Amino acid sequence: MPIRTIIEPFRIKSVEPIRWTTRAEREQLLRAAYGNVFLLPADDVLIDLLTDSGTGAMSTFQWGAVMEGDESYAGSRSYIRFRDSIQDIFGYRHVIPTHQGRAAERILFNVMCKKGDVVPSNTHFDTTRANVEFVGAEAVDLLPPEGKQPSLVAPFKGNMEVAALENLIQRVGRERVPLVMLTITNNSGGGQPVSMANARAVSAVCRRQGIPFYFDACRFAENSYFIKLREPGYENKTPKQIAREMFQLGDGCTMSAKKDGMANIGGFLCTNDDALAQQEKDLLILTEGYPTYGGLAGRDLEAIAVGIQEALQEDYLKYRIASTAYLGNHISEQGVPIVQPPGGHAIYLDARAFLPHIPPHQFPGVALACELYLEGGIRAVEIGSLMFGKAATMDLVRLAIPRRVYTQSHIDYVIEVILEVWRQRERIHGLRLTYEAPFLRHFTARLEPVADRAEGAAE
Ligand SMILES: Cc1ncc(COP(=O)(O)O)c(C=O)c1O
């Protein structure tokens, strides 16, 4: 019989101890953090699933490359390696390094957008939206209805609704749409993938209308692997062939190398447009650095040059996608409500369905995140009423899986903790705010438990 067990495709050379705490200690720590897991010291977290961004483990090849970093201010050898490695996958003429994804976004939207413009996407990530809005343009999400139903199982719930894109362009006028973005995979939409057919259709609309088409490519490797698994005609292609085919459909991209760049810091901006690239480099020099380092050290460029190729290795992607699904499937089999199907980089618990007795204004997602910490020292993040206020249509808790960091037994532990919290869900209370900042309040908010369930019901 063929061997079916999927194992971590690495062995561990250097270990980082994690620290156990008692429940009594965690209660005290969470009180000191005002019920906000962002305010916890990381050393007091046993399994940290706050984000998959910049939290991955680098390979021996990346660490070896780090030692070869050329720290020359201009024309560094490390930049040449970085550029060549990225062009090998993405194929774009200009590769501009930045310190992380949002810096690439800021430069792109500053150069391409003006007040009154409209930028469509499948779903803008929050920094993307904020950077579009910062230049006075409007960020519009065009997710099809199936992408908005958490429990629905469909292969490409991250797609953009193409008819809605055409309608939007017709309604506002082509001249007000300076570019179209497609986020692969769709992070804010539950880590769901975008199909090649959908990218092709979006590209065709853009070409017909003469509108530049850009990818937010943070998780392009995971997206490529989902296409290989789920889209007919791609089963025999390599993830790299799939990625190349997809990027050929566009005119450029923004990228946070903290995700599928397998690095702890870094990003880049690509374009095929010479005039635009010049303006982007001018802006880069103003705030990020010279165009051959863009705010990164030569060693960071080396780590990304190697990491971005490793992210496309098939044995890695097989393990990556399978291990995320392993967590999702094991808890959903026991009735725990999650966004279906499991995404590439994270599992999202549906906190409104998990804790139906806690109304949205008492932050069911925060209550659930607190409980995961109290029960097992696990840190996750609320994506819901605390993060988005009244605009939140869902209350989710995201369990993001850092790349190559945790083993299957860590994930088995996470499953056990979630199931224990699920069993005791009825005794969990909601929370109320005691402090909030005027914007991005979730990072610094302070909360306290409400004593009784009816409290605040009239709010
Ligand atoms: C889809 C998406 N776009 C952009 C970004 C921004 O990247 P960075 O955090 O490197 O600025 C992120 C980060 O989480 C993301 O998930």
Side-chain angles (χ1 to χ4, degrees):
M1 268 220 306
I3 305 294
R4 290 176 39 228
T5 307
I6 297 170
I7 59 168
E8 289 85 359
F10 48 81
R11 52 188 182 182
I12 297 165
K13 181 172 266 176
S14 176
V15 298
E16 188 178 2
I18 49 179
R19 191 174 90 81
W20 262 266
T21 46
T22 63
R23 185 169 178 112
E25 283 171 328
R26 289 195 292 277
E27 281 169 2
Q28 159 62 26
L29 286 159
L30 195 60
R31 257 196 310 277
Y34 302 97
N36 184 346
V37 294
F38 275 104
L39 304 179
L40 288 168
D43 276 353
D44 296 323
V45 174
L46 187 66
I47 308 274
D48 204 344
L49 307 182
L50 190 67
T51 177
D52 67 320
S53 179
T55 52
M58 293 213 293
S59 69
T60 48
F61 298 108
Q62 285 178 287
W63 284 111
V66 161
M67 285 303 293
E68 293 183 30
D70 170 5
E71 305 301 344
S72 305
Y73 188 94
S76 116
R77 181 180 62 239
S78 299
Y79 171 72
I80 310 291
R81 285 195 188 141
F82 172 85
R83 184 200 61 197
D84 290 353
S85 178
I86 289 161
Q87 278 178 338
D88 173 53
I89 300 163
F90 291 70
Y92 299 124
R93 203 150 55 234
H94 300 277
V95 179
I96 302 170
T98 58
H99 81 274
Q100 61 183 86
R102 68 198 70 184
E105 292 161 7
R106 192 186 66 80
I107 291 170
L108 178 71
F109 299 133
N110 253 281
V111 167
M112 292 194 80
C113 303
K114 60 182 184 323
K115 198 164 181 307
D117 283 347
V118 176
V119 182
S121 173
N122 45 348
T123 312
H124 288 276
F125 180 66
D126 52 11
T127 58
T128 320
R129 169 173 289 279
N131 275 298
V132 169
E133 291 171 354
F134 194 70
V135 296
E138 188 189 348
V140 179
D141 294 340
L142 300 173
L143 200 59
E146 64 179 20
K148 296 176 191 155
Q149 298 170 54
S151 59
L152 182 85
V153 178
F156 292 106
K157 285 171 78 177
N159 282 353
M160 180 186 288
E161 191 168 23
V162 180
L165 174 66
E166 287 181 302
N167 289 342
L168 179 77
I169 298 170
Q170 199 173 34
R171 187 164 55 77
V172 304
R174 181 258 160 268
E175 53 303 329
R176 280 181 62 203
V177 185
L179 78 162
V180 172
M181 295 284 293
L182 194 63
T183 313
I184 56 171
T185 57
N186 190 342
N187 182 6
S188 311
Q192 301 292 324
V194 174
S195 70
M196 189 70 81
N198 187 249
R200 210 178 288 123
V202 172
S203 172
V205 172
C206 292
R207 297 269 190 270
R208 219 172 27 247
Q209 300 277 356
I211 299 173
F213 174 32
Y214 278 69
F215 291 96
D216 177 340
C218 295
R219 298 179 181 84
F220 75 97
E222 291 170 9
N223 202 84
S224 298
Y225 196 68
F226 277 121
I227 289 176
K228 182 179 170 72
L229 291 181
R230 296 180 185 173
E231 194 161 350
Y234 289 92
E235 43 290 276
N236 296 321
K237 298 210 163 149
T238 64
K240 190 190 268 189
Q241 286 169 329
I242 296 170
R244 283 176 175 160
E245 183 176 332
M246 183 162 275
F247 291 128
Q248 269 175 16
L249 299 168
D251 302 290
C253 71
T254 57
M255 172 79 189
S256 168
K258 300 171 75 175
K259 284 83 167 176
D260 280 349
M262 308 293 257
N264 301 118
I265 194 69
F268 54 86
L269 172 58
C270 290
T271 180
N272 279 336
D273 184 320
D274 296 341
L276 215 57
Q278 195 50 54
Q279 291 176 50
E280 288 166 353
K281 286 179 197 169
D282 292 345
L283 207 52
L284 185 87
I285 291 173
L286 201 63
T287 55
E288 289 280 305
Y290 192 73
T292 60
Y293 75 87
L296 295 170
R299 54 180 169 269
D300 300 325
L301 298 169
E302 295 276 355
I304 297 166
V306 176
I308 205 151
Q309 299 285 343
E310 289 180 353
L312 284 166
Q313 284 168 6
E314 216 156 316
D315 54 358
Y316 160 71
L317 283 168
K318 185 175 180 186
Y319 137 81
R320 171 78 175 155
I321 301 303
S323 60
T324 305
Y326 178 87
L327 168 58
N329 293 338
H330 274 74
I331 56 176
S332 77
E333 273 162 17
Q334 301 298 317
V336 176
I338 65 166
V339 175
Q340 291 282 10
H345 68 294
I347 294 299
Y348 295 69
L349 306 177
D350 181 349
R352 284 191 194 174
F354 198 115
L355 302 171
H357 58 280
I358 302 182
H361 72 266
Q362 287 183 5
F363 309 112
V366 182
L368 184 51
C370 286
E371 210 53 37
L372 293 174
Y373 180 69
L374 291 174
E375 186 62 38
I378 296 166
R379 178 155 68 171
V381 66
E382 185 249 20
I383 300 187
S385 300
L386 182 62
M387 192 178 274
F388 300 123
K390 289 204 169 77
T393 53
M394 294 193 270
D395 277 282
L396 304 176
V397 174
R398 186 184 75 176
L399 304 152
I401 321 286
R403 291 167 182 77
R404 303 189 293 206
V405 169
Y406 295 115
T407 64
Q408 185 171 342
S409 62
H410 289 116
I411 299 300
D412 284 332
Y413 172 86
V414 172
I415 292 168
E416 195 179 337
V417 170
I418 294 170
L419 294 180
E420 190 51 37
V421 171
W422 174 241
R423 270 189 287 277
Q424 299 180 32
R425 60 193 179 278
E426 282 177 11
R427 61 157 190 77
I428 300 173
H429 285 263
L431 297 134
R432 89 170 127 241
L433 274 168
T434 58
Y435 164 77
E436 63 179 308
F439 48 85
L440 294 174
R441 65 177 183 174
H442 53 289
F443 290 120
T444 52
R446 296 178 178 183
L447 303 103
E448 65 182 16
V450 294
D452 111 51
R453 288 183 187 170
E455 190 184 340
E459 267 176 54

